[in-house]
DNA sequence: TTGTATGCGTTATCAC
DNA sequence: GTGATAACGCATACAA
């Protein structure tokens, strides 16, 4: 038995399909009694309009998509969730696409674009060229955690300054041998954090630090990179990690090497995931509004879909000092002064 | 300038729309030279077929949806990711919907159903009645982490037996005052874990434990519940948590109360999230194949969409013993014997 | 191998 | 208020 159509409902209600459409979409005047009849008929047939047909006629998908590299860890999850919330708020469905660094990511994204009214694109999932192509085809795009491209706006969380500040804090605590753990080429945000790390050294008059210790975003990678970094007599006394999960990997590495945090090595992360407060010692980190990032990106996208030009947006981050960056045992600077405006001390 | 349609392309290639459709969908024979012309025209216009129209004509959405309560924590993230992977593998788009316990969840799901070929429904996001309604309207459904409903199959991870075994392990270690932290009414899986917890007491001849200490899935809730539970002279010596994140909250609670794990209180979790290995001591837990759950649910859904009847599926779980459940200081049973077949000792 | 014509289920613009 | 009817963009029998 085929599913009922607007014709079935119209016939049952004794009206034309135009009227059915009117009551359902509340467009145009309809007599109260007529409305009742239509509603009743629709209910009896448990009919709901075919979104495909409705979309085709109205030239609207009623859907928005988000493209991200992966869904590993709280960061991406929260961003996607924020996006979903905004989409629902705008009465749109949310489509997701994880590229995983697949080679055919470009065509996957192009394909996705054909089924949504607009797209949020995270990180380096696709090239700038693809972004332009998308816009060229009439698909509004909002970039997330990645620089703007032409007129395509970007939503980001401040990274460079926060990285400079948290590094400066470590330096102020007396650290002179610091390492950066993360891959600046993996994501624009990480690159900013790395540059802030460098900048802090410059400003403090310290010699330039070594190259970053490459690591992905997941804990296992942080563990591997952390082990390689710390299993060395010339190990650093402080490690600035590109994200919390990698930092937790460093925690495990330090433990397995018999090193104490922060006495033997200070550690900082990024994101302020819940686990950062559960570990011992609590992890110092930089909080970024993950959910809000997704929400704002979705909101900007909605604006663009509506034809309203949207400007790029940078959300503030917040340094969260916790015991993991506490003064090392042989601290020469007992002060706890933090050279930054926005700060926070927990717990 | 309106986006090009199949007519534009056909005209430019000097063929009919039927031919364009043929080369694009590779249906029916087309001369090589003709094919080239069409492809060229399509490329020049950077045209891609309108999915709405294609879907309408083919009576197919080319999309699958998944409904979940929230995206907090690795569990839901991984499940959704597994679902997405399977959807992509089946050449379908993935739609997501988080209900957040919203009151109008039912209609949101019904609405989502109108734009996909099938739906995976997690937990208690909607009632059994809605599931039947969905099926009645011709939308194949696969349940996830929730019992089957009529002919609608379910994909689950084994919970009851694993809960019995890990509880039995604690009891074998000498614990007699155990608490269950989690809300059996929050999710069917948690209810199974609670029942396994009870069963282990029965089998060991221990008096029935107290009521579960209600807690949600996130760390903060685990912290609050854990604090209430442990800040008491008559506190339990072991806490079986419904999931890892809540367990991490208990870690923080114990730390803040000056209690040591496992000496003062043993703790176990569920899921085996990465952070479980990063905390000190490492968290004993029950590993469930989160990603695979999503993938299998997606696969079953594909089968159902294809008209193939699908049976319910229960994936195995694995007990992962770590230091957090190590023998208490005053252990009366020095044995480490584990009364279960599948087990694992880490690190 | 290719073209014609119809249907897919709505929306929306007209008349009435 | 209500009803025909033309798009909407594509898939696909059916012809040629």
């Amino acid at each position: 038995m085929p599913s009922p159509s607007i014709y079935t409902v119209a016939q049952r209600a004794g009206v034309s399909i135009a009227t059915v459409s009117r009551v359902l979409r509340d467009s145009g005047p309809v007599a109260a009694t007529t409305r009742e009849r239509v509603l009743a008929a629709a209910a009896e047939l448990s009919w709901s309009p075919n979104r495909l047909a409705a979309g085709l006629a109205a030239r609207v998908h009623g859907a928005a998509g988000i493209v991200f590299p992966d869904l590993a860890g709280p960061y991406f999850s929260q961003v996607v969730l924020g996006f979903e919330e905004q989409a629902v708020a705008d009465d749109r469905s949310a489509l997701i696409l994880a590229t995983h660094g697949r080679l055919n990511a470009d065509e996957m994204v192009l394909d996705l674009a054909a089924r949504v009214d607009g797209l949020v694109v995270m990180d380096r999932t696709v090239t700038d060229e693809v972004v332009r192509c998308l816009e060229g085809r009439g698909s509004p795009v909002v970039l997330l955690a990645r620089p703007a491209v032409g007129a395509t706006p970007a939503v980001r969380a401040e990274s460079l300054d926060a990285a400079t500040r948290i590094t400066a804090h470590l330096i102020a605590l007396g650290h002179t041998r610091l390492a950066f753990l993360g891959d600046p080429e993996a994501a624009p945000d990480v690159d900013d954090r790395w540059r802030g790390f460098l900048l802090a050294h410059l400003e403090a008059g310290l010699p330039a630090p070594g190259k970053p210790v490459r690591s992905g975003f997941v804990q296992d990678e942080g563990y591997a990179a952390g082990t390689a970094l710390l299993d060395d007599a010339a190990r650093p006394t402080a490690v600035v990690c590109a994200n919390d999960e990698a930092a937790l990997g460093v925690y495990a590495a330090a433990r397995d090497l018999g090193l104490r945090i922060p006495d033997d090595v200070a550690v900082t992360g990024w994101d302020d995931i819940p686990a950062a407060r559960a570990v011992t010692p609590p992890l110092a980190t930089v909080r970024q509004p993950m959910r809000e990032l997704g929400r704002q990106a979705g909101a900007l996208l909605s604006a663009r879909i509506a034809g309203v030009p949207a400007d790029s947006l940078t959300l503030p981050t917040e340094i969260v000092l916790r015991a993991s960056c506490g003064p090392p045992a042989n601290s020469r600077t007992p002060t706890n002064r933090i050279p930054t405006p926005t700060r926070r001390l927990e717990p």
Side-chain angles (χ1 to χ4, degrees), chain A:
Chain A
M1 168 178 49
S3 58
S5 81
I6 195 173
Y7 285 95
T8 326
V9 177
Q11 190 169 16
R12 185 170 190 116
V15 298
S16 73
I17 62 166
T19 298
V20 175
S21 183
R22 279 192 203 98
V23 346
L24 221 83
R25 302 185 37 82
D26 200 33
S27 64
V30 175
T33 60
T34 310
R35 163 182 300 278
E36 291 309 319
R37 283 217 313 284
V38 170
L39 255 24
E44 287 165 23
L45 295 163
S46 72
W47 168 79
S48 63
N50 181 317
R51 301 299 301 248
L52 255 18
L56 177 59
R59 303 153 189 271
V60 165
H61 288 276
I66 185 168
V67 183
F68 46 84
D70 201 324
L71 209 52
Y75 172 70
F76 289 113
S77 303
Q78 289 297 309
V79 168
V80 168
L81 192 56
F83 171 80
E84 190 268 353
E85 283 182 4
Q86 186 62 47
V88 168
D90 295 331
D91 202 35
R92 260 190 275 270
S93 293
L95 295 246
I96 61 172
L97 177 62
T99 58
H100 298 291
R102 286 198 194 92
L103 296 166
N104 61 337
D106 288 359
E107 65 180 85
M108 294 182 69
V109 172
L110 257 3
D111 182 71
L112 176 61
R115 27 170 78 247
V116 297
D117 297 314
L119 229 42
V120 168
V121 173
M122 286 190 79
D123 276 332
R124 294 197 219 285
T125 45
V126 298
T127 63
D128 286 3
E129 185 189 3
V130 172
V131 172
R132 290 198 199 87
C133 175
L134 251 19
E135 294 273 5
R137 291 188 182 192
S139 285
V141 173
V142 169
L143 271 7
L144 185 43
R146 142 180 197 163
V149 174
T152 304
V155 174
R156 307 193 63 173
E158 201 290 315
S159 274
L160 199 152
D161 190 48
T164 309
R165 283 150 45 198
I166 199 166
T167 306
H169 176 66
L170 289 168
I171 292 173
L173 287 176
H175 292 281
T176 54
R177 290 203 316 281
L178 299 82
F180 182 89
L181 189 143
D183 185 358
E185 291 174 20
D189 276 356
V190 175
D191 191 51
D192 278 1
R193 293 166 201 169
W194 161 245
R195 284 165 44 218
F197 178 79
L198 283 180
L199 205 55
H201 281 74
L202 261 180
E203 290 177 351
L206 250 49
K211 288 183 176 301
V213 181
R214 309 277 168 175
S215 166
F217 290 128
V218 303
Q219 190 175 301
D220 287 345
E221 297 171 294
Y223 179 84
T227 300
L229 175 66
L230 298 178
D231 192 12
D232 185 337
R235 64 168 178 271
T237 62
V239 183
V240 173
C241 302
N243 71 327
D244 284 355
E245 291 155 281
L248 293 191
V250 174
Y251 265 58
R255 183 188 57 208
D256 289 356
L257 291 170
L259 299 173
R260 292 160 306 165
I261 300 171
D263 307 283
D264 297 316
V265 57
V267 177
T268 69
W270 204 287
D271 288 344
D272 193 24
I273 67 177
R277 285 173 298 132
V279 291
T280 305
L283 175 66
T285 187
V286 177
R287 178 179 303 159
Q288 63 173 329
M290 307 183 279
R291 200 133 155 185
E292 193 62 18
L293 281 168
R295 199 164 4 220
Q296 291 287 355
L300 247 60
L301 183 59
S302 275
R304 295 212 58 203
I305 291 173
V308 181
D311 284 331
S312 289
L313 199 62
T314 298
L315 302 184
T317 50
E318 182 184 10
I319 291 182
V320 184
L321 296 181
R322 298 200 184 100
S324 72
C325 70
N330 59 344
S331 171
R332 276 168 289 181
T333 61
T335 173
N336 238 344
R337 195 178 57 78
I338 312 160
T340 60
T342 71
R343 64 195 168 194
R344 176 164 182 143
L345 190 50
E346 290 187 5

